[in-house]
Amino acid sequence: MKQPPGLLISAPSSGTGKTTVMLGLLRAMRDKGLEVQPFKSGPDYIDPAFHLAAAGRNSYNLDSWAMSDALMEKLVALSDGSDLILTEAGGLMLDEENTKLLYNKKNLLNPFFIASSIAAILSFLKIIFFRL
């Protein structure tokens, strides 16, 4: 079965509302009749319980430090039958290992969106710090 498209919810740090956005998207998509497979990137074992409540589908951690590639492949394969994969990033927007793994091996990220996010953050920081 073909893997569904994916979207990564990320931010430059913890405490920025990623989980709130993730839960809102999961519930809204579920209410529209979409099957969304949630994942959490990194070692967080609380958020997947919230994902389950919002999506009605089990959420799994994808942690390239603690899991083998084979285990992660099996977890991603659980997305079969869903319309979309929605992944909540860990506390750092570009957790290098997980980001490389998700993009290179699982095709869950689009490098254009990462570049756009970086450009937006740099533009924001320029305004804040340099008042330009």
Side-chain angles (χ1 to χ4, degrees):
M1 183 171 270
K2 187 177 183 244
Q3 183 178 310
L7 178 66
L8 178 75
I9 305 302
S10 63
S13 65
S14 295
T16 55
K18 293 182 302 292
T19 301
T20 302
V21 169
M22 177 80 168
L23 296 175
L25 287 171
L26 288 171
R27 189 51 182 236
M29 291 178 188
R30 179 182 179 187
D31 288 350
K32 293 285 186 188
L34 294 173
E35 284 286 328
V36 181
Q37 176 59 60
F39 289 103
K40 174 72 179 200
S41 172
D44 182 319
Y45 299 96
I46 296 171
D47 289 347
F50 296 134
H51 297 171
L52 169 61
R57 194 172 171 127
N58 284 324
S59 179
Y60 303 96
N61 285 81
L62 300 175
D63 188 342
S64 62
W65 185 83
M67 298 176 176
S68 68
D69 287 350
L71 175 57
M72 291 184 58
E73 302 251 347
K74 287 179 184 177
L75 291 173
V76 171
L78 296 172
S79 65
D80 286 351
S82 64
D83 298 305
L84 176 71
I85 294 172
L86 199 54
T87 304
E88 181 180 351
L92 297 174
M93 181 180 69
L94 295 176
D95 170 358
E96 184 179 351
E97 286 305 310
N98 275 318
T99 300
K100 280 195 287 189
L101 180 94
L102 291 172
Y103 174 68
N104 291 330
K105 294 185 180 181
K106 310 298 181 238
N107 196 26
L108 300 179
L109 298 177
N110 181 327
F112 172 76
F113 293 118
I114 293 172
S116 297
S117 296
I118 292 169
I121 289 168
L122 291 175
S123 178
F124 173 75
L125 292 174
K126 184 172 114 177
I127 292 167
I128 295 299
F129 291 112
F130 300 107
R131 307 280 190 244
L132 301 174

